[in-house]
Amino acid sequence: MKPKLRKFIDSNIPVIENDLIFQVEKVKGPSILKKSMLYSLNAGGKKIRPLLVLATLSTFKKDTKIGIEVASVIEMIHTYSLIHDDLPSMDNDDIRRGLPTNHKVFGESVSILAGNALNTLVFGILADLKHANPQQKIKIISLLSETAGVQGMLGGQLLDIESEEKRITVSELEEIHNNKTGQLLRFSIESGAILANATPQQVSLLRNYAKHIGLAFQIKDDILDIEGSTEELGKTAGKDIISLKNTYPSLLSLEGAKDKLHEHYRLALEALAQLDEDTILLSEIANYIVMRDK
C-alpha cells in the first residue's frame, strides 16, 4: 500500500469505527439486536466505501470530518448486505472476515432483523446530518435509496441469484456487478462530491471512476476466490466454483480476467486525469483495489 493512503487509512478508520459504535449505541432498542448489529460492524473489513467518502472530500480540500456520518452510513448499508448475503437462503456462508457469520452467532431471525435495523437506521442519520444543508441531505438520501435499492445493490443481487447455474455473457455479468457492487461505490464517491459542492461535470467524471473501480473490485474478488485461501480471505475460498456462479475467470479465463481488471483500472485513472484537483488519494485507492490480496 502506498504511503499517502496508509496514512489516510490509519488516521480515519478509527474515527469511522468510533462513529459506527456511537450511532448504534445511542439508539434505544433490544440489546440483543444492537449486539448483533455491532458484531458485524466491528468484525473488521477494509472500509473501502467509507474511506472513499472521505477521500472524495479530501480531493476537493474539504475537512473530512463533515463526511464521517455519511461514511458510517455506507458501511452500515454494506454490512447489512453482508449479513443478509450470508444467510442460508442466500449464499449460506459460515465465515465472514475470519469470524462466524452473524446468523451462526445470533440465529437467523435476529440476523435478519439486525440487517433491517442497519438499513433503516441510516436514513435517520442522514436526515440529521450536521454538516449538510437541506438540499444536500435530500440529494444524499435520494442517492442512497437509488443505489442501495432495486435500481442498484438489491437489483444486482437478484440478477446474480438468477444467473446461477446458467451461462451468461460478459456484458450481462458487468450489469450484475455494476449494480451489486458498483452502485454502493458510486454512492460513496458521489455523496462526498455532494458534500463538497462539486460541479455536475466533476460528479460525472467521478461517477465514471466509480463505475470502473466497482468492476475492478468485483473482478479482483473473483480472482482471489481462485488464488486465495480461506485463511487469507477471511471467508470461504472457492465458493464461486462450488456454487456454479458466473465469474470473470469462468467466462474469460483467469488471465483474461486479469487483463480485464487492468483495463478497468486504466479507465478509472483516465477519468481522474480529467479532473483539475489533486486525485492522488483516489488513484491510490484504485491501485489498492487492484493489488490487494484479500
Side-chain angles (χ1 to χ4, degrees), residues 228-269:
S229 66
T230 298
E231 292 72 27
E232 291 169 330
L233 300 178
K235 60 183 180 180
T236 308
K239 191 74 182 291
D240 292 341
I241 296 171
I242 296 168
S243 303
L244 300 177
K245 280 196 170 185
N246 287 280
T247 65
Y248 287 87
S250 72
L251 297 182
L252 298 173
S253 79
L254 185 58
E255 287 307 310
K258 290 179 179 179
D259 289 343
K260 184 65 77 172
L261 171 67
H262 289 286
E263 177 188 341
H264 286 296
Y265 174 56
R266 174 181 58 80
L267 291 169
L269 295 187

Side-chain angles (χ1 to χ4, degrees), residues 175-191:
E175 181 187 3
I176 290 170
H177 295 306
N178 268 327
N179 291 313
K180 183 181 176 183
T181 304
Q183 288 297 315
L184 288 194
L185 294 177
R186 174 193 160 200
F187 173 84
S188 301
I189 295 158
E190 198 167 329
S191 62

